[in-house]
Amino acid sequence: MKAIAERKFGFWVSLALLALLAGGPALAALTGLFGNSGAHWVELRQTVLPVYFLNTLWIAAGVSVLSLALGLVPALVLHRYSFPFSAQVPLLLALPLAIPAYISGMAYHAMLDYTSPLYVFLRSNFGLQTGPYLFFNLHSVGGVILVFSFSYAPYVFLLVHAAMRAFPAAQLEVARLLGASGRKVLFSLLLPHLRPALAAGLSLVLMEVLNDYGLVRFFGVETFTTGIFNAWFLLRDPAAAFRLAGMLMLMAFLLLLAEQWSRAGHTDRTKGGHRPGLPKKLRGWNAGLALAVATLPFVLGFLLPVAQLLVMLFDAIPVLVRSDFFRLLANSLLLALGAGLAATLFALALLYSGSKLRSRFAQALVLFATSGYAIPGAVIAIGLLQIVNIMAFTPFLSRLLGWLLTSTVVLLMYAYVARFVTASWNSVSSGATRIGSGQLEAARIAGAPAWLVFRQVIWPFLKPATLAGFIMVSMDVLKELPLTLLLRPFNFDTLAVRAFEFAADERIAEASPYALLIVVAGFVPVWLIRKNKMI
């Protein structure tokens, strides 16, 4: 009994350490709310803080409305009707997730500004004069809302589409037999069933919005994320940056609470099995109209930006032969593969420790350790810098941590793991659910040693999920911008950083090769989702 208690204590200690390692930066960022506010805080509070707050609020509200429309309408159309290529539409609608929002913003900037081929053609042939931009000033809150919505609406679509497929057709048939109108069926039956999926999709969209730095900086819109960068790099005021990061962390926490609250009281109407409904077949103009409506988010979020990047690529071929292109590619792959491996090992350790402790507190620790994806990258970076500041209380530690921060990628890797371990954990834990308890019990009764049980019984189930988690984390790291900008070592750039720097200097064509490579890498998670039949 004593040996069992000691082993259990060891698992508790390891689980608590893992949770502390993963969640430490976020906790440290929260302390910024209560500590020294910095020399510039009063000035920031009186001048730009209301702007940060209002812009973030307007962007969140606008993106919520537009993302719901772009995600919900195609899902309803696919659920109700069948038309040519309708089976391929879900995959097309997931593709915008392969493009980071700042790259999509670069493409729209090149597409719609005063010197764009389209604007030149309209100006030369029709005398059209609308100012610097074809339709409206893209570098505004409205422009940010549009690009964010085009980029992240697939989150809403994917979750709503999955929920619609699970909805029993018998309930719709009974409602129609009782004479319920289409509007009544939608608002009284479908939307209540879809509420958790809508809330979960919307929360993912807003987490991406809070995390973004590249698009809002490129469009010149001030938000909390740009404020953190301004306080850190321009004002050289770490305390003010910590305070802003703490406020942003609080907003992310409130978002998580709202998402959990929206699920409360929901009744699952699909329990007990279901029979999927048969969509109505459309032909002719009706089929064309349905196809156009369903694929509109794909056109806006993927087809147009990628087409623009490909057009610009021909002007930037000399960039490809520069030596630094391959150096940046090597740097990006080093970070992506290293962080993917570290996050996978971390998730496996978490799975092992958590599986030995079956209690609500252990589940809470696992949830805390894997909540990094909900926390903006800038907050994790600032929290980590706060920890470094606290730990540097002796000259030796100060020099060591300073060397780790400025000359190595160790702290950057750590930050990547803290933020992206969620993806690895979700994949590994879903693979673990396929392991039958009977197989494990049989192996133990047969007297097989632990290493043999792992190799012969556990690993075959975990291997595909572990590999999928590794790839998803690696691809996320390849696209990540705020963490990399804040924590990269001196003179250590990546594809994402260089693409952003070119775009910030209005050298959009030169940014296109880097951007396209990131987009191609973004296909991998989408392909994995398709392979696992999630869409």
Side-chain angles (χ1 to χ4, degrees), residues 101-117 119 132-134 136-140 143 147 215 218-220 304-305 308-309 312 502-509:
Y102 62 91
I103 289 177
S104 192
M106 285 164 38
Y108 271 101
H109 167 88
M111 206 184 309
L112 300 175
D113 79 343
Y114 193 78
T115 58
S116 68
Y119 200 170
Y133 291 94
L134 184 53
F136 70 103
N137 185 5
L138 198 63
H139 289 226
S140 63
V147 176
L215 180 66
F218 179 56
F219 277 13
L304 290 177
Q308 180 62 43
L309 290 173
M312 293 187 296
F502 275 136
D505 292 340
E506 300 281 340
R507 297 158 68 183
I508 307 295

Side-chain angles (χ1 to χ4, degrees), residues 358 432-448 453 456-458 461:
R358 301 188 181 279
T433 58
R434 297 172 191 155
I435 303 171
S437 58
Q439 294 164 305
L440 291 175
E441 194 62 30
R444 288 195 189 100
I445 291 173
V453 173
Q456 298 289 347
V457 180
I458 298 175
F461 289 97

Side-chain angles (χ1 to χ4, degrees), residues 25 57 91 108 145 206 228 257 279 341 374 404 458 467 502 507:
L57 200 62
L91 177 61
Y108 271 101
I145 289 173
L206 293 179
I228 291 170
L257 283 182
L341 179 62
L404 287 175
I458 298 175
L467 182 61
F502 275 136
R507 297 158 68 183

Side-chain angles (χ1 to χ4, degrees), residues 131-203:
Y133 291 94
L134 184 53
F135 298 112
F136 70 103
N137 185 5
L138 198 63
H139 289 226
S140 63
V141 171
V144 169
I145 289 173
L146 284 179
V147 176
F148 272 146
S149 303
F150 298 161
S151 298
Y152 300 133
Y155 283 123
V156 177
F157 167 77
L158 291 173
L159 294 176
V160 170
H161 182 55
M164 295 285 277
R165 288 196 301 180
F167 191 80
Q171 295 189 23
L172 292 175
E173 292 165 0
V174 169
R176 290 186 183 118
L177 285 173
L178 292 174
S181 64
R183 178 180 296 182
K184 191 169 181 61
V185 169
L186 175 64
F187 287 100
S188 303
L189 203 57
L190 278 178
L191 287 184
H193 166 71
L194 296 176
R195 193 184 71 192
L198 287 168
L202 199 55
S203 67

Side-chain angles (χ1 to χ4, degrees), residues 113-128 134:
D113 79 343
Y114 193 78
T115 58
S116 68
L118 177 61
Y119 200 170
V120 170
F121 173 79
L122 293 174
R123 193 168 56 239
S124 304
N125 293 279
F126 301 98
L128 189 66
L134 184 53

